[in-house]
């Protein structure tokens, strides 16, 4: 019975050792699994971090490119705006210059027109003054002619009147003398008569 009991104890110890070995191996497997899991997790995290870093770099690169594009677009827009402003300024200056030239031409035309009107008016006034002088001289000439003719007529009438008066006086003198001669003849005839008687 003691031998049989020792054999049983040995079998039990062996089983116990086997169980311990199994548990140790299981623990090793668990540790290996956990280690592998940790390694894979670490590798995964590193890959995630790498991908994230690469993605961040790509995003930064894209943003930088976008910013450069935005900057270039801004520069282009600024250049276009500057050119548009310069073109507008040139166009405005050209319009101002054309407006000034047009105004100057209009003022010059208006001045020339006024001067032409003034010269025309002066010529008309000069012509009117000339006609009035000619008319005045013509009237004066006619009046002088009338006065001269009237004076000549009056002088002629005066001469005729004087001639008539002289003729009348001469006739009266002639009659007086004729009467005197007749009276002398009568007296002379009377003396002769007296002398004869």
């Amino acid at each position: 019975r003691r031998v049989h009991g020792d054999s049983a104890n040995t079998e039990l110890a062996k089983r116990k050792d086997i169980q311990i070995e199994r548990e140790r191996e299981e623990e090793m497997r668990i540790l290996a699994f956990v280690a592998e899991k940790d390694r894979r997790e670490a590798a995964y995290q590193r890959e995630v971090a790498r991908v994230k870093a690469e993605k961040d770099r790509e995003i930064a690169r894209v943003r930088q490119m976008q910013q450069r594009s935005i900057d270039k677009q801004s520069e282009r827009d600024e250049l276009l705006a500057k050119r548009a402003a310069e073109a507008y300024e040139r166009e405005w200056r050209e319009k101002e210059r054309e407006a000034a030239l047009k105004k100057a031409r209009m003022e010059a035309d208006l001045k020339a027109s006024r001067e032409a009107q003034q010269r025309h008016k002066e010529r008309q006034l000069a012509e009117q003054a000339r006609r009035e002088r000619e008319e005045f001289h013509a009237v004066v000439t006619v009046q002088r002619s009338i006065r001269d003719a009237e004076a000549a007529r009056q002088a002629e009438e005066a001469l005729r009147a004087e001639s008539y008066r002289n003729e009348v006086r001469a006739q009266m003198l002639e009659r007086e003398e004729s009467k005197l001669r007749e009276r002398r003849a009568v007296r002379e005839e009377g003396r002769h008569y007296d002398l004869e008687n």
Side-chain angles (χ1 to χ4, degrees), residues 4-34:
H4 180 74
D6 291 338
S7 177
N9 288 335
T10 302
E11 183 67 23
L12 183 61
K14 188 183 292 185
R15 288 180 180 178
K16 187 176 181 179
D17 290 339
I18 291 170
Q19 182 67 28
I20 290 171
E21 182 65 23
R22 286 178 180 174
E23 289 177 358
R24 189 180 65 80
E25 289 177 357
E26 183 67 21
E27 186 176 353
M28 291 296 291
R29 284 196 297 273
I30 291 171
L31 289 173
F33 175 78
V34 170

Side-chain angles (χ1 to χ4, degrees), residues 103-138:
K103 181 180 179 182
R105 285 194 297 268
M106 290 178 62
E107 290 179 350
D109 293 341
L110 181 60
K111 181 180 179 182
S113 177
R114 287 176 177 173
E115 290 177 352
Q117 289 178 355
Q118 183 65 27
R119 289 193 297 270
H120 180 68
K121 184 177 180 180
E122 290 175 354
R123 285 195 298 269
Q124 285 183 329
L125 291 175
E127 180 65 20
Q128 182 179 353
R130 185 188 64 79
R131 287 196 301 268
E132 289 177 354
R133 285 196 302 272
E134 289 180 354
E135 291 173 359
F136 174 75
H137 291 314

Side-chain angles (χ1 to χ4, degrees), residues 142-160:
V142 170
Q143 291 177 346
R144 185 180 296 116
S145 299
I146 293 173
R147 286 197 302 271
D148 293 344
E150 181 64 20
R153 186 186 63 78
Q154 291 178 358
E156 185 178 356
E157 288 182 354
L159 288 174
R160 283 200 298 270

